[in-house]
Amino acid sequence: MVDHVAGENVNQVVDSGKGVPDSPGYELPLLLFGGFRTLIDRLHTRLAGEGHPDLRPAHGFAMQAIGVRGATASEIGRRLGVSKQAAGKTVDRLLALGYAERADDPADARRKLVHLTPRGYDALARSAAGFDELRAEWCAALGTDRVRALEADLRNVVPEETAFRLDATSWLGGA
């Protein structure tokens, strides 16, 4: 790849960090995403070894959107920021894998609610335990105080209303 022409920098992505005392701005979101992706990938490797080999990150978001009370496909879609059809496709996969089931809504016979099965709750419990272990690994590598400071700093800069949004799959262009 050509990144210099007559001593002029023409590739900002490749050379922007050279000779600059601070990291270029684009690195922060990439590092944050890389940290997120690393945690998610490692969690799913662990889950695969614990009896959940077909579980994908989108499934975890969908199971969170279903919640303990259950939800309709439309509600799941709204919570994830995807269409009802995209949510329905993910729900169908969760049903096929045994993580969820459909039932009549006792309050409205026209509606079908999606509920988590014991297998779905097991996957979420294992995910929570896995995230605790991964956080502990980060604490061992970076120090507990630094991880706590990182979490506190992120809480300070991430607006409260977006801190725990489930619609990352739609934001990243997937369902």
Side-chain angles (χ1 to χ4, degrees), residues 79-166:
R79 292 172 187 169
L80 294 175
V82 299
S83 69
K84 178 183 175 182
Q85 293 77 13
K89 208 170 161 182
T90 301
V91 166
D92 287 344
R93 187 69 181 139
L94 290 173
L95 295 170
L97 294 171
Y99 291 104
E101 59 191 4
R102 278 197 182 98
D104 291 333
D105 183 344
D108 184 347
R110 297 169 296 171
R111 292 175 16 129
K112 294 285 186 190
L113 289 178
V114 178
H115 292 277
L116 296 176
T117 62
R119 180 168 172 74
Y121 283 112
D122 178 68
L124 289 178
R126 289 175 185 274
S127 293
F131 280 128
D132 286 344
E133 287 186 19
L134 290 166
R135 184 184 181 279
E137 289 178 17
W138 279 37
C139 287
L142 302 173
T144 300
D145 290 342
R146 287 186 69 194
V147 171
R148 286 181 183 153
L150 174 63
E151 292 166 337
D153 289 343
L154 289 170
R155 283 187 193 97
N156 284 330
V157 297
V158 175
E160 187 175 329
E161 66 274 8
T162 63
F164 297 102
R165 285 177 52 184
L166 297 176

